[in-house]
Amino acid sequence: MRQAVITGVGGPERMALRGGPDPTPRGREVRIQVRASGVNFADILARKGLYPDVSRFPAVVGYEVSGVVDAVGPEADPRWEGRDVVALTHFGGYTDMVCVPQEQVFEKPSRLSYAEAAAIPVTYLAAWQLMVVMGSLSADETVLIHNAGGGVGLAAVDIGRHVGARMIGTASARKHAFLAERGLHEAIDYTTQDWPEEVMRLTGGRGVELVLDPFGGRHWKQSYRVLRASGRLGMFSVAGSVSSRLPGKLKLLGLVARQPLFNPIPLMNRNLGVFGVNLGHLFTEGEKVRGWATAILQGVDDGWVRPHVDRTFPLADAGAAHAYLEARGNTGKVVLVP
């Protein structure tokens, strides 16, 4: 097999293509001949040494793949063999062959390409947890989606559209027309506008019921301040650390120093809630996540889940894919193909 490996902490040049022996499925595992692998911002944080779950190098990251099952373990259901699938991987997804527990494998919707299928698991599950499971978004509410043009952002637009909520999003101006076509109601150019001021203007000074914020630090403070009574702040990444000029893990320390300290008394007095989402820490909740994924994949058949692949890169060019995503060049998902 071939894998795109992070050889050590650093820039995109730290990605390298390496070969190795083909894996053998054990127990309840199935082996997938990978046709596409999703790229996520967590992978970039890992390469920069800012993702605690990846502490040793060389490392193979990647949380999602699609492909064809070509072998099954002795305790796995033999009916998986030969089927087109999409799967969650606990790392190891940057590859052309991977073994995955069958509980993390789902039949690929026939209407999707392999690249589109690989664009679903992480972004849509994160958005589902943020908006439906923990955010409890309803049709009479307004949600603010930060980085609305990113992978999770576009998934959130699909889910918000399905729920029937009003959606405000932050994104650079070049993405606004596309986001409007996808169903976003109002877009704010965070590069030229004071987005908290715009949010309050668009909501008549009331604020929003739900905010999805992947940036961390001071940004969380600003998001908290635009919440309406009964509002919820969902935090799901520390992407803001990447732009810090501090070296190494000091990037995270700088972000932590500027993040809000949420006190239970003010939360009660203002009728607000805050919560965090880390999909990578939910592999012990397989039954729960499988239920969410089943609802999302049903959404593909029903037509409201519309994964959008911005660009595909060869597995050998994983470094270029990282650079593209890090520069926020994408609108939607970036995918690797063998």
Side-chain angles (χ1 to χ4, degrees), residues 44-75:
I44 292 170
L45 294 175
R47 195 198 71 233
K48 290 178 170 288
L50 301 175
Y51 199 65
D53 293 357
V54 179
S55 57
R56 295 183 179 181
F57 298 95
V60 180
V61 294
Y63 280 113
E64 56 195 347
V65 300
S66 66
V68 183
V69 174
D70 74 340
V72 300
E75 299 172 27

Side-chain angles (χ1 to χ4, degrees), residues 105-332:
V105 178
F106 304 84
E107 186 170 358
K108 182 181 80 67
S110 59
R111 66 192 297 172
L112 298 183
S113 67
Y114 289 114
E116 289 171 330
I120 286 181
V122 170
T123 55
Y124 278 87
L125 281 169
W128 185 267
Q129 187 181 355
L130 285 159
M131 301 178 79
V132 176
V133 178
M134 300 178 73
S136 301
L137 184 67
S138 61
D140 61 345
E141 294 184 318
T142 300
V143 57
L144 171 62
I145 304 169
H146 285 300
N147 193 25
V152 174
L154 281 189
V157 170
D158 273 357
I159 293 170
R161 182 169 172 263
H162 177 63
V163 169
R166 178 188 180 191
M167 296 178 289
I168 302 171
T170 63
S172 57
R174 68 181 180 84
K175 301 180 182 182
H176 287 191
F178 177 78
L179 288 168
E181 291 175 4
R182 297 287 293 194
L184 189 74
H185 297 110
E186 289 105 359
I188 300 170
D189 183 357
Y190 69 94
T191 67
T192 61
Q193 295 176 287
D194 184 324
W195 66 261
E197 183 178 300
E198 280 297 299
V199 169
M200 299 308 289
R201 183 186 67 80
L202 289 169
T203 59
R206 293 184 299 271
V208 301
E209 281 84 6
L210 180 63
V211 181
L212 314 186
D213 193 326
F215 293 115
R218 178 174 173 269
H219 209 272
W220 287 344
K221 290 183 180 180
Q222 294 173 298
S223 290
Y224 179 75
R225 289 171 185 153
V226 301
L227 289 177
R228 185 177 182 176
S230 79
R232 293 84 67 192
L233 169 60
M235 301 164 286
F236 63 101
S237 182
V238 288
S241 61
V242 171
S243 59
S244 171
R245 295 181 180 180
L246 293 172
K249 293 186 177 180
L250 288 178
K251 294 177 184 291
L252 284 178
L253 291 177
L255 209 65
V256 169
R258 296 190 299 274
Q259 72 183 15
L261 295 176
F262 297 111
N263 186 306
I265 302 301
L267 287 173
M268 286 191 292
N269 288 340
R270 291 193 60 197
N271 291 285
L272 300 179
V274 295
F275 64 90
V277 164
N278 186 337
L279 194 63
H281 289 185
L282 279 177
F283 279 90
T284 58
E285 296 284 354
E287 184 176 347
K288 184 174 289 187
V289 174
R290 190 168 186 86
W292 303 346
T294 299
I296 291 165
L297 291 174
Q298 181 60 49
V300 175
D301 290 335
D302 293 343
W304 61 267
V305 170
R306 307 164 297 163
H308 176 74
V309 177
D310 176 273
R311 187 172 171 183
T312 62
F313 289 81
L315 185 63
D317 293 339
H322 273 213
Y324 183 65
L325 187 63
E326 191 173 342
R328 296 190 188 180
N330 62 302
T331 302

